[in-house]
Amino acid sequence: LAKTTQPISMDSYEGQEVNITCSHNNIATNDYITWYQQFPSQGPRFIIQGYKTKVTNEVASLFIPADRKSSTLSLPRVSLSDTAVYYCLVGRNTGRRALTFGSGTRLQVQP
Amino acid sequence: GAGVSQSPSNKVTEKGKDVELRCDPISGHTALYWYRQSLGQGLEFLIYFQGNSAPDKSGLPSDRFSAERTGGSVSTLTIQRTQQEDSAVYLCASSFGDGETQYFGPGTRLLVL
């Protein structure tokens, strides 16, 4: 399994753009990159998934360079409600059933 | 529609007692997963179901842990002779199929005294 490395914590202010980078040097050809968000006392929530280049949805953007050894989750104009732990996961979209979560990045948004 | 539900939301038990945790997946989801999250930690995979069968039980920490799924729907995670180190949040997730996006329930917070 590809191991992921991401910052333990980040601080930001409301209205700013937040970029969280995840390193996954051993990513395999068939692996996808997925990000989950977890609020206190809740289960993780799927945010976005990508394979290469850029993916955007109503919540976030995911930037993946050509070598795919890292990825960056971009949250535009964060609000206090974006305070959460963000997990980067790497794995196959099929065949690998369980998700392997690291320690995640704890994002604290200040007013 | 309704999301993944779990019960009870909180469970306090005494060391040595057995506990049962229940998961109701999203209707139509064939895959079901159990994870465990200790305080301040990431999630630890326990077991995966496809339908009623469990092709991957590799994460179960000991033989005190077992799980079953009936009717391709509800799943029960049983912990026998609970120990204090079993205290954690037990999370259930379901997905439409193998490899699809997993949707998590709110978890059951287990405290073993």
Side-chain angles (χ1 to χ4, degrees):
Chain A
L1 296 175
K3 180 181 177 179
T4 60
T5 303
Q6 50 185 127
I8 295 174
S9 64
M10 294 183 68
D11 292 307
S12 183
Y13 292 93
E14 282 192 293
Q16 289 189 333
E17 177 184 81
V18 171
N19 296 308
I20 305 174
T21 297
C22 178
S23 297
H24 28 80
N25 292 318
N26 296 324
I27 190 169
T29 303
N30 294 335
D31 286 342
Y32 280 73
I33 300 157
T34 309
W35 286 79
Y36 278 77
Q37 174 192 56
Q38 186 176 28
F39 297 114
S41 302
Q42 295 186 24
R45 182 177 74 105
F46 172 87
I47 301 177
I48 197 166
Q49 183 180 72
Y51 183 78
K52 62 180 179 180
T53 63
K54 176 184 175 182
V55 179
T56 297
N57 61 22
E58 65 277 7
V59 176
S61 294
L62 179 61
F63 298 91
I64 305 169
D67 65 6
R68 304 201 326 123
K69 294 185 182 299
S70 67
S71 59
T72 298
L73 174 72
S74 181
L75 305 172
R77 299 179 298 282
V78 295
S79 63
L80 296 176
S81 62
D82 292 317
T83 294
V85 178
Y86 293 82
Y87 294 97
C88 164
L89 293 86
V90 173
R92 295 177 184 176
N93 210 27
T94 60
R96 168 64 186 161
R97 283 94 177 189
L99 300 175
T100 301
F101 286 77
S103 299
T105 297
R106 188 172 301 275
L107 173 66
Q108 181 68 50
V109 179
Q110 308 280 1
Chain B
V4 177
S5 61
Q6 293 185 245
S7 62
S9 55
N10 292 281
K11 177 70 176 179
V12 180
T13 190
E14 293 179 351
K15 177 182 174 181
K17 295 287 182 67
D18 298 351
V19 296
E20 283 190 355
L21 312 179
R22 175 187 170 109
C23 172
D24 282 87
I26 293 172
S27 178
H29 280 194
T30 61
L32 186 147
Y33 313 77
W34 283 98
Y35 295 86
R36 178 169 71 173
Q37 186 171 33
S38 301
L39 186 63
Q41 302 297 311
L43 278 74
E44 172 190 5
F45 166 73
L46 297 178
I47 188 171
Y48 153 76
F49 286 92
Q50 179 61 257
N52 291 334
S53 63
D56 190 350
K57 306 178 183 179
S58 62
L60 294 178
S62 76
D63 58 6
R64 297 186 295 105
F65 287 72
S66 63
E68 65 175 13
R69 189 179 185 195
T70 56
S73 180
V74 173
S75 176
T76 302
L77 177 69
T78 301
I79 308 173
Q80 296 178 311
R81 306 180 302 282
T82 53
Q83 303 294 313
Q84 289 182 331
E85 59 263 29
D86 298 334
S87 297
V89 177
Y90 288 82
L91 288 152
C92 173
S94 71
S95 64
F96 184 71
D98 182 17
E100 297 292 327
T101 299
Q102 296 185 23
Y103 296 87
F104 284 81
T108 294
R109 285 149 196 79
L110 174 66
L111 177 61
V112 182
L113 301 176

